[in-house]
Amino acid sequence: MNILVLDGNQNQAVASVRSLARSGHRVYVGESASWSKAALSRASSGRFRYPSPQQHVDSFVAAISEFARKHPGTLVFPMTEATTLPLSAHRDSLIGAGACLVFPDHTDLLRAFDKAETTQIAQALGVPIPKTTTVLNQHDACGLADSIRYPVVLKPHASEELSASGTVRKGGRPRYANNATQFNAAYNDISQRSSAVLVQEFVPGEGTGYFALMHHGELRAEFAHQRIRDVYPTGSGSAVRVSIEPDPEIRKYSLNILSALRWHGVAMVEFRKQAGSPPVFMEVNGRFWHSLPLACYAGVDFPSLLARMAEEGDIEPSGGYRVGVRCRWLLGDARHLVEVWKGPPAGYPEKFPSRLGTLASVLTPVPGTYHDLFQLGDPMPEVADWALLLQRLWRRRLAD
């Protein structure tokens, strides 16, 4: 089967290309840049450059359609919201061109990508949620800043959204506030990139997630891991993590939410959990996740399972996986160290990791650890990861 993996500079794209090639598929890699980490993998059969979906949605969709016409029956795997949203919105024309897609209904996909919507769904299902307010304008923001109980987290209502002009724009990272001044600064920043801003009470604890492959709301495969270090110490993007059995309560809550969404495909449901307290729902990510390599190493080959489901219509529920498997994103761990050295962001209310303790943890090797990108027989994705970092730093220097 021909498969086109998009967003080739994502770690999950590298894991998908390797997985799918092992399963006997012919895998092409797409990216808006001239080269990518996944395209440099030995598992890639070719590269494909497309216009940026964040700037040229129509051209992006046209390029994917043209690829599908040249390779009829190609299964398209988007890795980010930036590519998923326009593909889903234009699915009829893409399928007409010969592409194969694995998505829920577009309305359900939009619900899953909207943090306010999924928070309401979770609340209706009896899942614990943080106290949440959706702010749509500056007037409401000012009123809330003077009346809300702090600390709070402000975040865009979606990680990426289709704008009125048809482009895809990034919502950016969450911000924290301990007072009205910090609140207003955070709101003004996020509202420039998002049509709505979620304001939530700060929930202490650690980020944890449940990963699943669903067939129209029914479970087909699952996975869970424990984060050891995050790229951002505030809780975003795991740099080091280990496979664990799913927490029964988190599993139950996640499946209830995904079933209510009638989800079809892969998804991650994220929570915050503190010892002795119930898990609190945060969001749904309806796509492949950055830490996907660990699931593949542990025995849950989500990309191949999704490809099988696309080919056969449905698959039998998969078995278990190995617990205690540890995986590391080397550059992400280095970034974690840099973020710790910078100190906590403004308004962050929790204890922040110590610099020397983090340095010791990052530099201490743990035998048996797998790597997100580096493999002895396929080293170029790791090399490309660091090359991309140098490229970004050089461009930033030129811009300054």
Side-chain angles (χ1 to χ4, degrees), residues 233 336-337 340-341 351-361:
H336 169 83
L337 180 59
V340 169
W341 225 257
K351 183 180 178 182
F352 208 66
S354 72
R355 291 171 175 167
L356 293 180
T358 299
L359 179 63
S361 297

Side-chain angles (χ1 to χ4, degrees), residues 100-184:
C100 179
L101 302 167
V102 184
F103 289 149
D105 289 344
H106 187 58
T107 53
D108 292 328
L109 185 141
L110 291 178
R111 288 199 301 157
F113 283 11
D114 189 321
K115 293 179 175 64
E117 180 75 21
T118 53
T119 300
Q120 291 175 6
I121 291 172
Q123 184 178 34
L125 292 169
V127 179
I129 64 166
K131 184 177 180 181
T132 303
T133 304
T134 302
V135 182
L136 301 174
N137 56 62
Q138 184 72 51
H139 178 268
D140 290 346
C142 290
L144 189 63
D146 293 329
S147 61
I148 201 169
R149 182 177 178 180
Y150 293 97
V152 296
V153 184
L154 292 87
K155 59 180 72 171
H157 84 102
S159 298
E160 313 243 7
E161 65 176 350
L162 283 169
S163 67
S165 62
T167 60
V168 180
R169 62 180 181 178
K170 280 183 172 289
R173 292 185 46 72
R175 297 279 300 270
Y176 302 89
N178 275 315
N179 53 54
T181 300
Q182 292 176 348
F183 180 104
N184 288 322

Side-chain angles (χ1 to χ4, degrees), residues 266-290:
V266 295
M268 170 192 178
V269 189
E270 189 168 356
F271 294 80
R272 296 276 288 184
K273 185 170 175 60
Q274 189 176 38
S277 300
V280 179
F281 172 77
M282 290 288 109
E283 64 185 32
V284 173
N285 290 315
R287 53 169 175 77
F288 284 111
W289 45 93
H290 210 260

Side-chain angles (χ1 to χ4, degrees), residues 137-320:
N137 56 62
Q138 184 72 51
H139 178 268
D140 290 346
C142 290
L144 189 63
D146 293 329
S147 61
I148 201 169
R149 182 177 178 180
Y150 293 97
V152 296
V153 184
L154 292 87
K155 59 180 72 171
H157 84 102
S159 298
E160 313 243 7
E161 65 176 350
L162 283 169
S163 67
S165 62
T167 60
V168 180
R169 62 180 181 178
K170 280 183 172 289
R173 292 185 46 72
R175 297 279 300 270
Y176 302 89
N178 275 315
N179 53 54
T181 300
Q182 292 176 348
F183 180 104
N184 288 322
Y187 175 80
N188 291 336
D189 175 46
I190 296 173
S191 62
Q192 296 178 39
R193 303 184 300 274
S194 179
S195 58
V197 177
L198 260 67
V199 180
Q200 295 182 323
E201 64 175 330
F202 180 82
V203 178
E206 295 182 351
T208 184
Y210 176 80
F211 310 88
L213 170 62
M214 306 293 290
H215 182 269
H216 298 295
E218 295 183 358
L219 180 66
R220 293 295 179 265
E222 65 181 353
F223 182 72
H225 70 230
Q226 178 183 353
R227 297 177 178 181
I228 297 173
R229 288 190 293 275
D230 285 333
V231 176
Y232 295 96
T234 54
S236 178
S238 67
V240 184
R241 82 297 301 189
V242 61
S243 60
I244 59 172
E245 293 285 352
D247 177 288
E249 202 168 22
I250 288 176
R251 182 181 190 270
K252 180 185 74 171
Y253 289 154
S254 298
L255 290 176
N256 287 345
I257 293 169
L258 293 174
S259 295
L261 287 167
R262 301 180 291 271
W263 194 254
H264 188 62
V266 295
M268 170 192 178
V269 189
E270 189 168 356
F271 294 80
R272 296 276 288 184
K273 185 170 175 60
Q274 189 176 38
S277 300
V280 179
F281 172 77
M282 290 288 109
E283 64 185 32
V284 173
N285 290 315
R287 53 169 175 77
F288 284 111
W289 45 93
H290 210 260
S291 59
L292 175 64
L294 173 58
C296 296
Y297 287 128
V300 191
D301 197 340
F302 282 104
S304 292
L305 291 171
L306 183 59
R308 270 191 57 211
M309 198 168 79
E311 281 188 292
E312 301 172 14
D314 196 5
I315 59 172
E316 70 283 356
S318 71

